[in-house]
Every structure is written in C-alpha cells, then in structure tokens.
C-alpha cells in the first residue's frame, strides 16, 4: 500500500512542477504547501489536493 504525503499521492508530487517556471517543487510538510524557490511562491495543499493557481499561492518573502 502506498503511503500518502500530507494526503497527497507521492507519485503525483514527483510529477508536479511550478505552473509559472516549470521548475521543481519541494514539499513543506509543516505548512502543508508545495514550494517553488524560483517563483518564490508556496502553493497550498487542501484536503490532499495541491492548489496550483498563482492566485492561491502565498508569496515567499526573503
């Protein structure tokens, strides 16, 4: 049986990329977000579903 990561299928996490940069995303388990370092955005995961809309993303401040 596959183990889900924050309610998300781990195989799906491997396939997802940032919709703005097409770059790699990293999982922030504590905040339940997928982070794009290049875009400086964090996409929320709600009910096990990554919300990959830049309008829903949190801006990462330096």
């Amino acid at each position: 049986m596959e183990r889900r990561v924050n309610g998300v299928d781990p195989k799906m996490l491997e396939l997802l990329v940032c919709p703005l940069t097409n770059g790699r995303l990293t999982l922030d388990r504590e905040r339940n977000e997928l982070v794009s370092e290049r875009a400086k955005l964090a996409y929320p995961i709600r009910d096990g579903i990554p919300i990959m809309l830049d309008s829903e993303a949190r801006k990462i401040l330096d």
Side-chain angles (χ1 to χ4, degrees), residues 10-26:
K11 288 183 182 177
M12 183 171 66
L13 287 178
E14 291 175 18
L15 297 173
L16 288 174
V17 296
C18 175
L20 294 177
T21 66
N22 289 324
R24 185 170 174 245
L25 296 167
T26 56

Side-chain angles (χ1 to χ4, degrees), residues 33-48:
E33 298 174 326
L34 292 173
V35 177
S36 171
E37 294 294 333
R38 286 178 59 196
K40 297 201 182 290
L41 293 173
Y43 299 96
I45 299 172
R46 296 187 190 128
D47 299 321

